[in-house]
Amino acid sequence: GAGVSQSPSNKVTEKGKDVELRCDPISGHTALYWYRQSLGQGLEFLIYFQGNSAPDKSGLPSDRFSAERTGGSVSTLTIQRTQQEDSAVYLCASSFFFKEQFFGPGTRLTVL
Amino acid sequence: KNEVEQSPQNLTAQEGEFITINCSYSVGISALHWLQQHPGGGIVSLFMLSSGKKKHGRLIATINIQEKHSSLHITASHPRDSAVYICAVRSNAGGTSYGKLTFGQGTILTVHP
């Protein structure tokens, strides 16, 4: 079956522009997670959604970052007024409740 | 001090050697994950465990909840095992933080033929 997909795979943008990153989780998975991996850094939790519960936004680094999950499926991570320090690989994962997480291939974001 | 500490940070081995990567954590957890990331590649979940021991092929993961410690072992290591191995814990705190994972910095493993 299909795994977690993310688009675009690469995104180059200019400082100050807004970007949207998309995640399509595995069908039937109830939980969806966004992580960030900066160059030479470890994985960093951003936000997660579980069913219809309020999302845990505690990892979002600033109010320029937001995410939504529509219909309990597809999710979009939006970064407004991008800064150079936002450059990173943004990873999405999904799971059935709190079982094993399956990761997407990531979106590499470069802010010039 | 990070909530999740891995050791060693870098590990070099010869093909066939037995490898151990350690993970210590300081918070109460409901589960611990071991992940693998090949250079330029995606992240794959190897194990999720909350007690005892799990085995998959040449990989073995153990956890000691009382000591807040987990180990990942690779038997008969092979160059294709070269990757970054990441430990992550899920807190047992309630509320919306229940699903949040906290990650170790990763262990870079290189296995030479």
Side-chain angles (χ1 to χ4, degrees), chain A residues 35 37 48 56 98 100-101, chain B residues 37 90 96-99 101:
Chain A
Y35 303 104
Q37 189 171 37
Y48 99 95
D56 178 353
F98 297 114
E100 177 188 10
Q101 294 188 22
Chain B
Q37 185 173 31
R90 176 156 51 84
T96 58
S97 295
Y98 185 73
L101 287 184

Side-chain angles (χ1 to χ4, degrees), chain B residues 21-44:
Chain B
I21 299 170
N22 296 299
C23 176
S24 296
Y25 53 91
S26 56
V27 296
I29 69 167
S30 56
L32 182 143
H33 298 248
W34 281 103
L35 310 172
Q36 180 193 56
Q37 185 173 31
H38 280 103
I43 294 175
V44 175

Side-chain angles (χ1 to χ4, degrees), chain B residues 1 3 10 20 25 40-41 43 48 54 73-74 86 89 91 101 107 110:
Chain B
K1 188 179 183 342
E3 290 183 343
N10 286 278
T20 296
Y25 53 91
I43 294 175
M48 187 182 81
K54 287 191 175 181
H73 305 286
I74 304 176
I86 303 165
V89 300
S91 166
L101 287 184
T107 294
T110 305

